[in-house]
Amino acid sequence: MISLPTYDDVAAASERLAGHAHRTPVLRSSTADARWGAQFFFKCENFQRMGAFKFRGAFNALSRFDAAQRKAGALAFSSGNHAQAVALSARLLGMPAVIVMPLDAPAAKVTATRGYGAEVVTYDRFTEDREAIATRLATERGMTLIPPYDHPDVIAGQGTAAKELIEEVGPLDALYVCLGGGGLTSGSALAAHALSPGCKVYGVEPEAGNDGQQSLRAGHIVRIETPKTIADGAQTQYLGAYTFGIIRRDVADIRTVSDAQLIDGMRFFAERMKMVVEPTGCLAFAGAVADAPALQGAKVGVIVSGGNVDLARYAALLGGA
């Protein structure tokens, strides 16, 4: 049996992140409220350092390294946002970093990761096992492996976004969170359960990659093939032991949305709120919009998880829809 992180871990992470992570804005949209009949509160992690919530978990985890670990450095595997988060956190904390990234990761994310000073090792996400590659490299180099979601310190760090949201706007009726490996969803559930006990937390994942939904229904972790979706940050194949443990206990349900719904969300954020949001960052909002008939008059939190997207791809998705 593993020991799941708690809200106390989220609170401790919040103290470590003070002065390092941005306290991102919570934005409103009168258009969204009127169109879908609820009160929406958008926690905009697209304005976080390196452009996504992932900085919170990475910095919290790396800040807990001892002297020997800091000297050897951190190793991670990621499609992009966790990669940048670990790279930036390592630079801020004065340690080396190696990141295992898929060959088809967004060019902007690879460039940013290298720009933060990390070494990038590439692999084919459809034929190679990133965890096996990362574990081998960590062993060979004596580095500490920080996975993108299934780690207590990462989960606790991610939970600080929901903590800040609820502290700012008060109790919520519902909170929608994007779901890939489950770090943000599980951390958010810890915060919501402690600070807004009546709030129902919903994870939202691409319909092409509904391993989380299948897992919740089955009562055990279900593994799938790498999903084909524009939400590159949610192309995970399975939840982790820590994240599933919290999700199974504290999350009300898991929703799925189509790529077309994500593009609708990207367009709404661009046109009505003047924000660039990556496809994965639109999962939570798309899920809330789909649930709108059941949310009439409700106070709804939406975590906008990130804004890291190649501009050419962004323009093509919006222009071709």
Side-chain angles (χ1 to χ4, degrees):
M1 292 291 291
I2 59 174
S3 179
L4 298 175
T6 67
Y7 175 71
D8 287 343
D9 296 309
V10 177
S14 182
E15 293 183 5
R16 293 186 198 99
L17 288 166
H20 299 287
H22 297 322
R23 191 177 181 96
T24 52
V26 178
L27 300 184
R28 303 293 309 281
S29 168
S30 58
T31 300
D33 290 359
R35 185 176 297 177
W36 291 292
Q39 299 177 68
F40 290 95
F41 298 83
F42 299 94
K43 178 64 170 171
C44 296
E45 286 295 289
N46 50 316
F47 296 128
Q48 186 52 262
R49 295 188 75 158
M50 48 68 51
F53 74 94
K54 291 283 191 177
F55 178 77
R56 296 174 182 272
F59 189 89
N60 185 51
L62 268 61
S63 69
R64 303 198 69 196
F65 280 16
D66 60 27
Q69 287 176 305
R70 291 194 180 206
K71 182 177 180 181
L75 193 144
F77 51 86
S78 166
S79 65
N81 283 339
H82 182 63
Q84 294 173 81
V86 171
L88 175 57
S89 297
R91 189 182 77 179
L92 293 172
L93 293 166
M95 66 178 81
V98 174
I99 314 295
V100 177
M101 300 185 73
L103 288 165
D104 62 347
K109 295 183 179 182
V110 176
T111 300
T113 300
R114 289 192 171 116
Y116 290 132
E119 175 188 345
V120 174
V121 176
T122 58
Y123 75 101
D124 185 332
R125 76 162 87 220
F126 297 102
T127 62
E128 297 182 281
D129 184 338
R130 66 180 187 173
E131 293 189 42
I133 295 169
T135 300
R136 173 177 56 79
L137 287 173
T139 300
E140 291 174 355
R141 304 190 185 194
M143 305 179 89
T144 300
L145 177 61
I146 298 297
Y149 52 87
D150 203 36
H151 187 289
D153 293 333
V154 171
I155 292 168
Q158 316 306 30
T160 61
K163 175 179 181 291
E164 291 174 6
L165 170 61
I166 296 168
E167 287 174 342
E168 182 168 336
V169 306
L172 297 167
D173 296 308
L175 175 63
Y176 287 78
V177 189
C178 75
L179 176 61
L184 182 62
T185 301
S186 56
S188 297
L190 292 176
H193 187 72
L195 302 176
S196 181
C199 175
K200 292 184 177 180
V201 178
Y202 298 95
V204 186
E205 58 190 352
E207 63 183 17
N210 71 331
D211 60 291
Q213 188 182 66
Q214 290 185 53
S215 298
L216 194 61
R217 304 285 190 272
H220 60 81
I221 296 173
V222 173
R223 296 181 177 230
I224 62 171
E225 294 298 315
T226 300
K228 289 181 170 60
T229 170
I230 63 172
D232 63 275
Q235 286 182 295
T236 47
Q237 296 173 284
Y238 51 89
L239 299 174
Y242 290 100
T243 60
F244 179 64
I246 297 169
I247 288 169
R248 186 180 185 184
R249 183 190 68 196
D250 294 340
V251 169
D253 200 5
I254 294 174
R255 309 294 202 224
T256 64
V257 294
S258 67
D259 282 359
Q261 288 171 290
L262 296 181
I263 293 172
D264 287 343
M266 292 170 66
R267 179 172 288 107
F268 180 87
F269 284 132
E271 291 181 346
R272 307 305 307 191
M273 299 183 70
K274 315 308 175 190
M275 296 195 303
V276 173
V277 180
E278 64 185 283
T280 308
C282 296
L283 280 166
F285 183 46
V289 168
D291 279 356
L295 296 172
Q296 297 303 294
K299 191 174 177 183
V300 182
V302 174
I303 297 187
V304 181
S305 60
N308 294 323
V309 59
D310 290 319
L311 291 183
R313 181 169 183 257
Y314 179 80
L317 287 171
L318 292 184

